[in-house]
Amino acid sequence: MAEKRKWETIKSFNDIKFEFFEGIAKITINRPEVYNAFRPETNIEMLEAMDICRERQDINVVVLTGEGDKAFCSGGDQNVKGSGGYIGEDGVPRLNVLDLHKRIRELPKPVIAMVNGYAIGGGHVLHVVCDLTIASENAIFGQTGPKVGSFDAGFGSSYLARHVGQKKAREIWFLCKQYTAAEAETMGMVNKVVPLESLEDETVEWCKIMMQRSPMALRMIKRGLNAELDGQRGLMEFAGDATLMFYLMEEAQEGKNAFLEKRDPDFKKFPKFP
Ligand code: S0N
């Protein structure tokens, strides 16, 4: 039986719901009439929500999901697809879901995709770029790009191949077949499959376990796993966190203090670990 919990609204948006419960932020794409397809405005709102998740000290884990029991996300909204991208209300074509991919990977906190139905096209890529995926038994996974005139040769293919291997990634993209949650779990792109009615309970349980772990350790693991794929950019994120940790050490503080006290720093007293 699904546990009832009271999610409190963090901020009201048009296309998404953005809520909080006991250290967990939940972002829900709220466009069920188009199976939670995203348009440029949806991504702009999700980017803002991700920034709030980054800044707020009481948010430890982020859950990304879709409204209802039919779809997690069906990708780009085909009603607003124009030449050059998806056309926003300002008339400008954008592919700004790519910014969201980067933001999810950069966020120094775990992001869990709670897949409650179709994860198709750009919606499939969204779960792929999340750190973990928990899916309901009715979830369906697949890419459609080569069928509908698009493709994501970025994280949507290269990172997917890290989950399922090169042959399977090519199959998923070349054939545009749909896969059950059980098949997706067997392939290695889903962490756990549960009945729909216990999807949120299971996801919250995973969040609670992660919240008992060291946030800095989780952060560094995420950075390290990303860096392997992200090249210089990943190294920069990893190095930034190493600097953060160095700032916490007395050795770094000695340098700053010496400067402010107009004296030579004394670094000799600090250990040189073998
Ligand atoms: C999800 C599917 C398989 C569900 O099928 P089902 O159950 O038969 O339901 P439908 O009747 O088809 O759908 C229910 C209602 O929802 C609307 N709808 C569904 N998906 C979309 C959508 N993506 N855009 C707009 N509307 C959608 C239906 O029209 C229907 O509405 P009503 O009831 O009013 O008729 C099936 O719906 C399906 O296959 N959907 C389309 C999936 C798809 O092809 N998505 C787009 C794929 N491309 C992207 O996502 C682009 C991503 C992107 O932005 C990108 C980024 C970086 C680099 C490249 C790209 C790129 O362009 O790929």
Side-chain angles (χ1 to χ4, degrees):
M1 184 65 190
E3 195 186 305
K4 277 272 167 268
R5 53 188 66 81
K6 191 154 170 34
W7 293 91
E8 127 207 355
T9 298
I10 297 175
K11 183 171 175 179
S12 295
F13 290 100
N14 284 322
D15 286 13
I16 65 168
K17 292 201 271 183
F18 184 33
E19 299 165 300
F20 179 80
F21 173 76
E22 294 183 0
I24 306 164
K26 183 168 71 165
I27 300 171
T28 307
I29 304 176
N30 190 19
R31 307 188 74 223
E33 66 284 0
V34 285
Y35 275 29
N36 300 317
F38 52 77
R39 56 183 187 143
E41 290 79 5
T42 322
N43 294 323
I44 288 168
E45 291 179 4
M46 286 199 276
L47 285 164
E48 186 182 340
M50 284 291 170
D51 286 344
I52 293 170
C53 292
R54 178 174 187 162
E55 295 298 332
R56 257 179 68 161
Q57 293 294 301
D58 58 344
I59 293 174
N60 304 283
V61 187
V62 180
V63 173
L64 181 61
T65 191
E67 181 66 19
D69 59 3
K70 295 281 187 290
F72 167 74
C73 176
S74 61
D77 186 334
Q78 298 305 289
N79 298 304
V80 297
K81 191 176 178 197
S83 54
Y86 292 84
I87 317 281
E89 282 169 2
D90 58 3
V92 176
R94 291 188 173 84
L95 259 178
N96 60 354
V97 75
L98 296 178
D99 298 324
L100 183 63
H101 298 171
K102 287 183 275 184
R103 207 65 61 87
I104 289 170
R105 285 176 72 78
E106 283 167 13
L107 192 79
K109 301 173 182 177
V111 182
I112 305 190
M114 185 168 83
V115 179
N116 52 312
Y118 281 107
I120 294 284
H124 188 256
V125 178
L126 270 188
H127 103 85
V128 165
V129 298
C130 288
D131 297 306
L132 298 166
T133 298
I134 302 182
S136 54
E137 287 165 347
N138 64 313
I140 303 279
F141 297 81
Q143 295 297 158
T144 60
K147 209 164 61 176
V148 296
S150 67
F151 61 89
D152 180 355
F155 286 129
S157 47
S158 60
Y159 191 39
L160 176 68
R162 299 289 171 122
H163 298 321
V164 302
Q166 284 281 344
K167 295 279 186 187
K168 269 287 170 195
R170 285 162 209 247
E171 173 191 314
I172 290 168
W173 274 100
F174 291 0
L175 276 66
C176 299
K177 286 194 324 185
Q178 293 181 359
Y179 302 88
T180 63
E183 288 170 323
E185 187 182 23
T186 303
M187 275 188 244
M189 61 180 176
V190 165
N191 294 90
K192 187 157 187 188
V193 180
V194 294
L196 179 63
E197 58 274 18
S198 41
L199 180 61
E200 189 172 288
D201 289 350
E202 185 72 27
T203 307
V204 167
E205 186 56 30
W206 282 52
C207 292
K208 284 184 176 166
I209 294 171
M210 286 189 286
M211 285 192 280
Q212 289 163 15
R213 310 293 179 240
S214 152
M216 184 61 86
L218 299 192
R219 178 178 181 137
M220 295 308 291
I221 290 290
K222 177 167 177 171
R223 293 284 195 237
L225 289 169
N226 283 352
E228 188 231 350
L229 193 64
D230 292 357
Q232 190 68 37
R233 171 87 182 230
L235 196 57
M236 181 269 275
E237 297 281 0
F238 193 86
D241 281 358
T243 308
L244 185 162
M245 286 202 278
F246 183 52
Y247 282 171
L248 296 170
M249 292 173 67
E250 207 190 317
E251 186 175 333
Q253 286 157 18
E254 167 64 10
K256 176 204 70 177
N257 290 340
F259 175 80
L260 292 176
E261 292 162 15
K262 301 192 187 307
R263 61 172 172 82
D264 288 335
D266 176 14
F267 289 119
K268 290 195 191 67
K269 59 186 173 186
F270 297 109
K272 286 102 197 148
F273 297 103

